Amino acid sequence: MKKEPINKRDMKRYQLQAKSIIETLPYITEFYGKTIVIKYGGNAMIDEKLKRAFALNIILLKYIGVNPVVVHGGGPQIGEMLNALNIESHFRQGYRVTDKATMDVVEMVLVGKVNKEIVNLINLHGGEAVGLSGKDGKLIQAEPKELAIEKNDAPPEIIDLGKVGEVTSVNTKLIDSLLSEGFIPVIAPVGVDENGETYNINADSVAGAVATAMGAKRLYLLTDVPGLLDEDKELVTSLSAKEAFEAIRTGVVTGGMIPKIKCCLEAVANVEKSAIIDGRVENCILLELFTKSGIGTEIIY
């Protein structure tokens, strides 16, 4: 491409761009050669502008020497397919009760549709992504998830969630191999048990387990909220593990934020920092990784 002299009117803008690039150098140095695990979900998977920004963020990380590993969700897409097939969904404590017919749809949507769309998105924008599920290379071993609801003056109610699972172990050999060859792994949250039975697993939990197994530098969970808000609805930018436990105990953390905070807490003993960041913000990954303030709620050990 032939270059032309910079127009004097544009010089200031280009100088600011150059300054911004230079300001990221300490962060690039810090994260060079390190692994970042990113749970991709929510509006960032739906809005076209955010999807493109996500792909470019991931590709940029790879080009500057960071190793991104993507774990994705797909709840809304699963719901749409189940509705189209007239298969009714039932939820208990936020978990989709998953019988065999539902599990077949879950696997078809997560592995066959959503995963490939994300891989294609990254590849179309210049990256080299490879799609995986927990079945590939014995990546994610699982077991049935036990859910008990405590009751006053009565034994806890044991809920049968069917083919909903939780991670028992992660075999990182295939991920390590792909990263060493320059590829970007994109993982669907489906696992298998020792008998080969397939399980639907919460994507946050899979991301946390992968980050823990790899000793990742960072774990990022993309959400549709700014992060953890305090009692005055102000963003809490940083929490120690002790403070996070206390926030759960005192009810500052509520609803769907509880499992996300718990996921970060489980990972943070092996991951330097975990963070919940707003996936509705364009370039949220770069803003969190390469700026002093960040844009979400980080949890440190």
Side-chain angles (χ1 to χ4, degrees):
M1 180 183 296
K2 184 179 179 181
K3 288 189 175 182
E4 298 180 357
I6 296 177
N7 187 305
K8 290 183 179 180
R9 290 176 299 178
D10 295 329
M11 178 63 76
K12 187 173 183 179
R13 177 165 59 90
Y14 288 129
Q15 286 177 328
L16 287 173
Q17 289 179 351
K19 183 180 179 181
S20 297
I21 294 170
I22 291 171
E23 287 175 347
T24 64
L25 184 57
Y27 302 101
I28 293 173
T29 303
E30 180 182 1
F31 293 108
Y32 183 83
K34 302 298 191 298
T35 298
I36 308 294
V37 177
I38 301 156
K39 186 268 179 157
Y40 179 44
N43 201 51
M45 284 181 63
I46 300 170
D47 183 276
E48 291 300 323
K49 185 177 181 180
L50 295 176
K51 286 165 63 175
R52 180 178 183 274
F54 172 81
L56 293 175
N57 279 208
I58 295 297
I59 293 164
L60 178 60
L61 291 181
K62 193 66 180 178
Y63 274 128
I64 62 176
V66 182
N67 293 318
V69 176
V70 178
V71 178
H72 65 83
Q77 294 89 335
I78 292 169
E80 289 176 5
M81 183 61 72
L82 288 171
N83 288 337
L85 297 173
N86 293 318
I87 299 175
E88 190 173 355
S89 291
H90 300 280
F91 290 86
R92 298 299 301 271
Q93 299 293 299
Y95 293 96
R96 188 191 305 273
V97 178
T98 307
D99 58 15
K100 186 180 185 307
T102 302
M103 186 64 238
D104 288 342
V105 174
V106 167
E107 186 171 16
M108 175 179 68
V109 172
L110 289 179
V111 181
K113 184 175 187 294
V114 176
N115 185 271
K116 301 313 172 190
E117 287 177 351
I118 297 169
V119 167
N120 190 46
L121 175 71
I122 294 172
N123 291 345
L124 280 174
H125 287 88
E128 290 187 309
V130 175
L132 304 171
S133 80
K135 292 183 173 181
D136 295 310
K138 299 180 180 179
L139 176 59
I140 301 171
Q141 294 296 299
E143 65 183 9
K145 182 172 183 61
E146 295 183 356
L147 181 62
I149 300 177
E150 298 292 335
K151 293 189 173 183
N152 293 330
D153 302 322
E157 179 187 359
I158 307 301
I159 306 299
D160 181 8
L161 296 172
K163 298 297 184 181
V164 174
E166 55 188 0
V167 180
T168 57
S169 65
V170 176
N171 180 356
T172 66
K173 184 177 180 180
L174 181 55
I175 301 175
D176 291 334
S177 178
L178 289 170
L179 290 176
S180 68
E181 294 297 323
F183 292 101
I184 300 167
V186 179
I187 303 170
V190 172
V192 291
D193 67 12
E194 58 186 9
N195 298 314
E197 291 291 324
T198 307
Y199 291 90
N200 176 25
I201 309 174
N202 176 271
D204 291 337
S205 297
V206 172
V210 170
T212 296
M214 300 193 72
K217 182 79 170 176
R218 291 286 190 275
L219 166 64
Y220 290 153
L221 306 180
L222 270 62
T223 70
D224 284 343
V225 296
L228 175 63
L229 304 180
D230 64 17
E231 296 170 341
D232 298 320
K233 304 302 180 183
E234 296 293 330
L235 177 66
V236 179
T237 57
S238 185
L239 285 171
S240 67
K242 182 179 179 180
E243 290 170 333
F245 277 118
E246 183 65 12
I248 293 173
R249 188 188 69 80
T250 58
V252 174
V253 182
T254 59
M257 188 59 68
I258 293 176
K260 293 185 184 298
I261 294 290
K262 286 184 175 180
C263 173
C264 290
L265 284 169
E266 290 170 1
V268 79
N270 299 284
V271 177
E272 186 178 284
K273 288 183 182 179
S274 301
I276 298 167
I277 60 178
D278 193 344
R280 301 169 301 176
V281 176
E282 190 174 359
N283 299 316
C284 61
I285 297 170
L286 298 184
L287 290 170
E288 176 64 28
L289 198 59
F290 295 148
T291 63
K292 183 177 181 180
S293 300
I295 62 165
T297 299
E298 68 174 14
I299 297 176
I300 57 179
Y301 191 68

